[in-house]
Amino acid sequence: MDFSGWQKLTLVDFDKHMATTLFTAGCDFRCPFCHNRDLVLNPSEAPVIPWDEIVSYLKKRKGILDGVVITGGEPTLMPDLADKLRDIKALGYAIKLDTNGSRPQVLKSLLEAHLVDYVAMDIKNSAEKYAETIGLPKVDMDAIRESISIIMKEAPDYEFRTTIFSELHNEESIRGIGELIHGAKRLFLQRYIDSEHCIQGGFHEVEKEKATAFADLLRNDVEQVSLRGYL
Ligand code: SF4
């Protein structure tokens, strides 16, 4: 399977790395606030980027770039993801993987094969509000919990992150997020930005003062809680 999107240079998506970002098409969630509507809803119409072209770029940029971000969609749905990551690793790049955590066994096998240096997993909401927040009638919370546990035990480095918006996040759900990731080292509470490219959109951001209060609620569960996207 080929990648379907490519941002050739990013200075902000992989901490301490000059990176290139590759997007997979398709996702098993339908988060209404998702900004990648076309990749998620119409994967068969997504662009196809020849793998050779990407490899050739990575070979030429070695020494200038040092990281590759794999995002989506949901990258763990890509059947030959491990092969692609192996090729990237062989070129000497560090790899960051973004995931929604729905496929813990794929995550585990990638980590055991030392194919990922940094994992960023979305924690969408408390267990009670998870299905609603991902736009589905139900969710496999065992899989989500297993991914959290695998990442905390086996990832060389990681972050959890939650995009917060007024309609679905409140003090109770934020405490629920703390329960899900109790003992984790890092969580970012990300500002929601509305866009015409969202699957649904039309939500409202949490004001900075309230987001700061949410972060304070999590300090007993997570070592480092930060806001992202707030000035
Ligand atoms: S936000 Fe992530 S998990 Fe949710 S639909 Fe979009 S790509 Fe999938």
Side-chain angles (χ1 to χ4, degrees), residues 206-221:
V206 174
E207 298 297 329
K208 186 176 180 184
E209 195 177 322
K210 193 165 184 186
T212 303
F214 281 174
D216 288 341
L217 289 176
L218 291 160
R219 303 224 185 265
N220 289 334
D221 293 302

Side-chain angles (χ1 to χ4, degrees), residues 23 35 69 79 101 104 108 115 138 148 172 181 192 204 214:
F23 296 77
H35 279 209
V69 178
K108 188 172 177 62
L115 294 175
K138 61 181 181 179
I148 291 169
E172 189 184 349
I181 61 168
Y192 167 79
H204 296 89
F214 281 174

Side-chain angles (χ1 to χ4, degrees), residues 126-178:
S126 62
E128 291 71 23
K129 288 196 166 180
Y130 223 93
E132 185 182 3
T133 310
I134 63 172
L136 294 177
K138 61 181 181 179
V139 60
D140 181 355
M141 281 310 296
D142 288 344
I144 298 296
R145 286 193 172 90
E146 195 177 344
S147 288
I148 291 169
S149 169
I150 289 167
I151 290 168
M152 285 172 60
K153 283 186 198 140
E154 299 184 35
D157 201 359
Y158 68 90
E159 70 182 48
F160 296 120
R161 57 196 189 179
T162 302
T163 299
I164 49 173
F165 47 99
S166 297
E167 284 79 0
L168 282 177
H169 295 95
N170 55 30
E171 289 189 5
E172 189 184 349
S173 64
I174 293 294
R175 284 200 182 91
I177 288 171

Side-chain angles (χ1 to χ4, degrees), residues 7-230:
Q7 183 185 344
K8 289 194 170 173
L9 174 66
T10 174
L11 304 176
V12 295
D13 290 330
F14 192 176
D15 197 23
K16 301 186 187 121
H17 293 279
M18 296 252 287
T20 199
T21 302
L22 300 169
F23 296 77
T24 61
C27 185
D28 47 353
F29 290 1
R30 292 290 182 273
C31 310
F33 55 90
C34 176
H35 279 209
N36 289 331
R37 180 181 58 204
D38 294 339
L39 279 184
V40 169
L41 299 184
N42 302 308
S44 59
E45 291 166 27
V48 171
I49 300 166
W51 181 232
D52 289 353
E53 201 181 308
I54 295 168
V55 169
S56 157
Y57 178 84
L58 291 176
K59 282 180 179 165
K60 274 192 214 141
R61 294 297 186 284
K62 189 75 189 70
I64 303 166
L65 300 180
D66 61 354
V68 176
V69 178
I70 309 289
T71 191
E74 174 47 37
T76 61
L77 295 173
M78 189 182 208
D80 57 347
L81 180 62
D83 295 336
K84 297 277 196 311
L85 298 190
R86 214 166 273 116
D87 288 354
I88 295 169
K89 274 272 158 213
L91 293 170
Y93 284 86
I95 295 176
K96 174 182 177 230
L97 177 71
D98 291 349
T99 182
N100 63 21
S102 64
R103 307 192 78 207
Q105 291 315 310
V106 175
L107 203 49
K108 188 172 177 62
S109 70
L110 296 174
L111 288 168
E112 285 177 353
H114 305 290
L115 294 175
V116 178
D117 300 280
Y118 191 100
V119 183
M121 177 178 161
D122 296 340
I123 307 295
K124 306 289 186 180
N125 213 329
S126 62
E128 291 71 23
K129 288 196 166 180
Y130 223 93
E132 185 182 3
T133 310
I134 63 172
L136 294 177
K138 61 181 181 179
V139 60
D140 181 355
M141 281 310 296
D142 288 344
I144 298 296
R145 286 193 172 90
E146 195 177 344
S147 288
I148 291 169
S149 169
I150 289 167
I151 290 168
M152 285 172 60
K153 283 186 198 140
E154 299 184 35
D157 201 359
Y158 68 90
E159 70 182 48
F160 296 120
R161 57 196 189 179
T162 302
T163 299
I164 49 173
F165 47 99
S166 297
E167 284 79 0
L168 282 177
H169 295 95
N170 55 30
E171 289 189 5
E172 189 184 349
S173 64
I174 293 294
R175 284 200 182 91
I177 288 171
E179 284 168 23
L180 281 176
I181 61 168
H182 180 76
K185 71 171 166 188
R186 193 177 296 131
L187 171 73
F188 289 97
L189 295 179
Q190 303 184 146
R191 183 177 166 213
Y192 167 79
I193 297 171
D194 201 23
S195 151
E196 59 183 22
H197 299 292
C198 289
I199 287 181
Q200 180 182 325
F203 298 105
H204 296 89
E205 72 173 70
V206 174
E207 298 297 329
K208 186 176 180 184
E209 195 177 322
K210 193 165 184 186
T212 303
F214 281 174
D216 288 341
L217 289 176
L218 291 160
R219 303 224 185 265
N220 289 334
D221 293 302
V222 184
E223 275 175 46
Q224 185 192 324
V225 187
S226 311
L227 302 186
R228 179 181 275 159
Y230 287 89

